[in-house]
Amino acid sequence: MFLGQFEHNIDAKCRLTIPSRFREQVPEGIYLMKGFDGNLTAYSKQSFERIADSISEKSITDPDNRMIRRFLFSSAAWLEFDNLGRILIPAYLKDYARLETSVMINGASDNFEIWSIEKWNEIQSELSDPEKNRRWWAAMDISTK
């Protein structure tokens, strides 16, 4: 499980060091793709393949299914870590997420996300709203039993 948040820098060659506790969970590498909220999302090989298989089972005659396929498969990149634990972020993904020098890497259960600092601060503001938090938690109907 990916937990926590880490601020890291992207170097001039678009390399980003991934936190060691995240790398330990995906030593073979990650699939990096566009996220749904202007961020990037990283999946283990197994998680990404489950998503891909699920999408591939849907009918190609449905226009929405074709758009989802395009979104997933055209934006995804398989990335391996170099000796220093870095990935090379493809330019099209860096541009999509508007990543500059400083980024936030956060755990999101079975995946992790990469955000521009500006966008992450917007998300943090929303996550700090007590009324929204109350509604979200109530809607989830989570039990600790």
Side-chain angles (χ1 to χ4, degrees):
M1 183 176 301
F2 297 102
L3 303 170
Q5 53 185 298
F6 308 87
E7 189 169 345
H8 283 250
N9 290 325
I10 296 177
D11 70 15
K13 295 181 181 179
C14 271
R15 295 176 300 196
L16 174 65
T17 301
I18 301 301
S20 61
R21 63 178 80 159
F22 287 5
R23 291 193 316 267
E24 291 168 358
Q25 297 180 61
V26 286
E28 69 281 0
I30 57 169
Y31 278 98
L32 189 64
M33 61 176 276
K34 292 177 181 177
F36 298 116
D37 301 303
N39 60 311
L40 302 179
T41 305
Y43 291 96
S44 69
K45 184 176 183 183
Q46 297 79 14
S47 290
F48 183 84
E49 288 175 354
R50 278 195 303 274
I51 294 167
D53 288 346
S54 178
I55 290 171
S56 294
E57 291 173 359
K58 307 294 183 207
S59 172
I60 60 170
T61 61
D62 183 309
D64 289 339
N65 291 343
R66 291 194 305 272
M67 290 302 280
I68 291 292
R69 284 174 181 242
R70 290 179 192 119
F71 180 88
L72 176 70
F73 296 114
S74 71
S75 82
W78 171 253
L79 305 175
E80 295 177 350
F81 304 109
D82 68 12
N83 292 338
L84 299 176
R86 300 174 300 189
I87 57 170
L88 178 63
I89 299 178
Y92 69 93
L93 290 176
K94 182 178 182 278
D95 293 344
Y96 168 80
R98 298 186 174 144
L99 303 179
E100 299 297 330
T101 303
S102 186
V103 301
M104 184 61 70
I105 304 169
N106 71 286
S109 184
D110 70 338
N111 63 75
F112 63 89
E113 302 172 325
I114 302 171
W115 296 85
S116 72
I117 291 297
E118 294 78 20
K119 186 69 175 169
W120 178 250
N121 288 338
E122 290 174 22
I123 294 296
Q124 281 298 99
S125 177
E126 193 168 353
L127 291 173
S128 298
D129 182 321
E131 181 56 29
K132 287 182 180 180
N133 273 304
R134 186 197 62 72
R135 284 196 326 265
W136 293 332
W137 283 99
M140 294 295 289
D141 191 29
I142 298 173
S143 172
T144 58
K145 294 179 186 178

